[in-house]
Amino acid sequence: MATGTSPASESDRILILDYGSQYTQLIARRIRERHVYCEIQPGTIDLDAVRAWQPQGIILSGGPSSVLDSDSPDVDPAIVELGVPVLGICYGLQLLAHRLGGLVEKADDREYGRALLKLERDDALFANLEGGAERVVWMSHGDRVLRLPEGFEVLATSESSPFAAVRHSQRPIWGVQFHPEVVHTEGGGQILANFVENICGCSGSWTMDAFIEEEIARIRARAGKGRVICGLSGGVDSSVAAALVHRAIGDQLTCIFVDNGLLRQDERAEVEALFGEVLGAHLVTVDASQRFVGALAGVTDPERKRLIIGHLFIEIFEEEANRIGDVDFLVQGTLYPDVIESVSVKGPSATIKSHHNVGGLPDNMRMALIEPLRELFKDEVREVGRHLELPERAIRRHPFPGPGLAVRILGEVTDARLDILRRADAIVREEIERGGLHDELWQAFAVLLPVQSVGVMGDERTYENAVAVRCVTSVDAMTADWARIPPEVLATISSRIINEVNGINRVVYDISSKPPATIEWE
């Protein structure tokens, strides 16, 4: 999880303790939307770390465990005794009840989905809500609180949850059985805002202007007079990270763009134009395409692909650093979801895959990391880019994985397969742009499948490759839904790929959401 000194002011700091809910990141998003800084930490965090972080409020997330299980994730009771406001959500409520002397039991039926919440008394947590005393909320729990701890009182009920919202009468402790962070809960964002602003007293001072100012100061203090290199991928993350570091330290930064042969069509020329011509940053381009493709020969396991690519990137960076001279720091465009997805601790969700920005770095790497975007979500990164006056074409780019097309080719990566996918992917992106859909989508791309099927072209039988088209909508990539692309656009994409790209005779459309699927196929 994100650690170290945060870029937030001392008065705007909310700590979220993660117990494994698929919605934990949504809590953070809702709070960030109120211009209040927050971080997600494992629920196993110790008391000293919480004290050092000095939160204005603490939120205990939901989670899939039962507090009745011997190995369920716990909370140090002393954290609740710190005197700062605490809000338990779902599992967080049950954990508070369990640890403070209440009674939790297994429910006969799991309560999942929409429920009608009835407010029983006025409270600051439910201030400024529209719609009267009843509202739809989202439930997701298997246990239920049977008896409240001493000193707690009921704020709201539902048909299956007599303690749907509670608070301590004397101490700043609240709990809700439902999930205010999801869009299905009516007024859920306002409930979280009430906790953060009215109860915790956060002022909403964490803006992107404030972030840029504080981050520039941090970069200058960390880099000193040292030499810094930044590995550009051509994506939004590395571009904004490089622009921010360049704003902070100027000519101390050298940007290195590695053409790994796994790029999208025309990507190298676009990166060189942006950084060489627009930003005026010192840019070195390295053509290492054959080194990467050669290293991936015969490799089909996606984790091995990612690690091979990550290690080779660092190897090439260090070679270039030796040519430049003494280099002290490496800039990476790591984002907050990258950090969250790649950490597995007791309680939070298991690691799904090694992320290209936080996995694959060698233990003996002699350069220290500068990760100026580590606390930001993607939409916040784009906002930083606009404040830094990057061209809109760079800011609007869809996310592109660090391992590039290697993880969009299922199976072995070869020059021939890269050429097929590169041309198919370009068609997808061209038609999405032409259809005016680009800004509505989080990502749109093609995936080359290790599948061949029979087809007919002219009067000839074919037995060629299949391509999957993947288009998703999302806010921060933690969850995503498949995009309902107009049939005529999909028809044009399919027709063009089959007619213009030799080696493909079948196009399919991926209608999987995240979860359970991931956005990328590997």
Side-chain angles (χ1 to χ4, degrees), residues 3-40:
T3 56
T5 304
S6 83
S9 66
E10 292 298 316
S11 62
D12 276 8
R13 299 162 68 83
I14 297 294
L15 180 62
I16 302 168
L17 301 188
D18 181 18
Y19 291 98
S21 170
Q22 62 180 311
Y23 305 130
T24 301
Q25 293 80 19
L26 292 179
I27 302 173
R29 289 296 306 122
R30 299 294 175 259
I31 294 172
R32 294 280 186 93
E33 288 167 0
R34 308 298 296 196
H35 300 294
V36 173
Y37 183 76
C38 62
E39 281 188 11
I40 299 171

Side-chain angles (χ1 to χ4, degrees), residues 311-328:
H311 280 287
L312 189 50
F313 260 118
I314 297 302
E315 182 180 317
I316 291 170
F317 287 150
E318 292 190 330
E319 291 173 3
E320 290 305 312
N322 290 333
R323 293 188 179 95
I324 294 169
D326 293 330
V327 175
D328 305 291

Side-chain angles (χ1 to χ4, degrees), residues 78-343:
I79 292 175
V80 183
E81 305 292 337
L82 287 174
V84 302
V86 174
L87 172 64
I89 295 176
C90 195
Y91 180 87
L93 164 63
Q94 296 161 13
L95 186 57
L96 289 171
H98 181 66
R99 294 297 272 154
L100 297 178
L103 183 63
V104 178
E105 67 170 1
K106 295 278 188 183
D108 292 334
D109 297 303
R110 176 181 176 88
E111 188 177 20
Y112 183 83
R114 289 174 172 82
L116 188 64
L117 183 79
K118 182 179 180 181
L119 301 181
E120 302 292 347
R121 68 178 64 193
D122 292 336
D123 188 81
L125 189 65
F126 296 106
N128 304 313
L129 292 180
E130 299 178 356
E134 293 186 345
R135 68 199 53 257
V136 172
V137 298
W138 187 264
M139 295 282 191
S140 180
H141 61 99
D143 292 350
R144 67 174 182 176
V145 177
L146 186 62
R147 186 184 70 241
L148 289 176
E150 184 177 352
F152 277 81
E153 57 190 20
V154 177
L155 299 178
T157 61
S158 72
E159 183 177 355
S160 300
S161 298
F163 307 121
V166 302
R167 69 161 295 172
H168 196 281
S169 59
Q170 303 296 324
R171 300 160 63 191
I173 304 173
W174 285 258
V176 294
Q177 186 60 75
F178 58 93
H179 288 273
E181 67 273 23
V182 303
V183 295
H184 309 294
T185 293
E186 294 176 351
Q190 183 62 51
I191 293 170
L192 287 174
N194 287 337
F195 177 74
V196 169
E197 297 169 2
N198 300 340
I199 294 173
C200 298
C202 293
S203 62
S205 61
W206 193 65
T207 65
M208 288 302 101
D209 279 333
F211 168 81
I212 291 171
E213 181 179 340
E214 293 176 9
E215 192 60 35
I216 286 175
R218 291 208 302 168
I219 293 167
R220 287 172 178 165
R222 179 161 172 74
K225 296 183 178 180
R227 299 289 294 277
V228 182
I229 61 174
C230 176
L232 293 176
S233 68
V236 176
D237 306 340
S238 67
S239 297
V240 174
L244 184 55
V245 174
H246 185 254
R247 175 76 63 89
I249 61 174
D251 291 342
Q252 288 175 245
L253 173 68
T254 297
C255 294
I256 299 176
F257 176 64
V258 177
D259 183 351
N260 58 12
L262 309 172
L263 305 173
R264 291 171 288 195
Q265 189 167 288
D266 300 325
E267 196 139 32
R268 174 171 172 173
E270 292 173 4
V271 171
E272 290 176 335
L274 172 62
F275 282 87
E277 300 170 14
V278 177
L279 295 181
H282 183 210
L283 175 66
V284 175
T285 300
V286 181
D287 188 349
S289 54
Q290 291 310 304
R291 289 178 65 179
F292 278 89
V293 176
L296 293 169
V299 178
T300 59
D301 179 75
E303 276 293 286
R304 282 196 63 205
K305 288 181 186 178
R306 289 176 177 272
L307 294 176
I308 287 170
I309 292 167
H311 280 287
L312 189 50
F313 260 118
I314 297 302
E315 182 180 317
I316 291 170
F317 287 150
E318 292 190 330
E319 291 173 3
E320 290 305 312
N322 290 333
R323 293 188 179 95
I324 294 169
D326 293 330
V327 175
D328 305 291
F329 297 94
L330 169 65
V331 177
Q332 282 207 135
T334 310
L335 303 192
Y336 201 38
D338 303 343
V339 178
I340 296 169
E341 268 196 355
S342 300
V343 174

Side-chain angles (χ1 to χ4, degrees), residues 19 44 64-75 91 95 98-99 143 346-347:
Y19 291 98
T44 51
S65 301
S66 168
V67 297
L68 303 175
D69 295 338
S70 59
D71 61 346
S72 61
D74 207 348
V75 65
Y91 180 87
L95 186 57
H98 181 66
R99 294 297 272 154
D143 292 350
K346 177 64 177 177

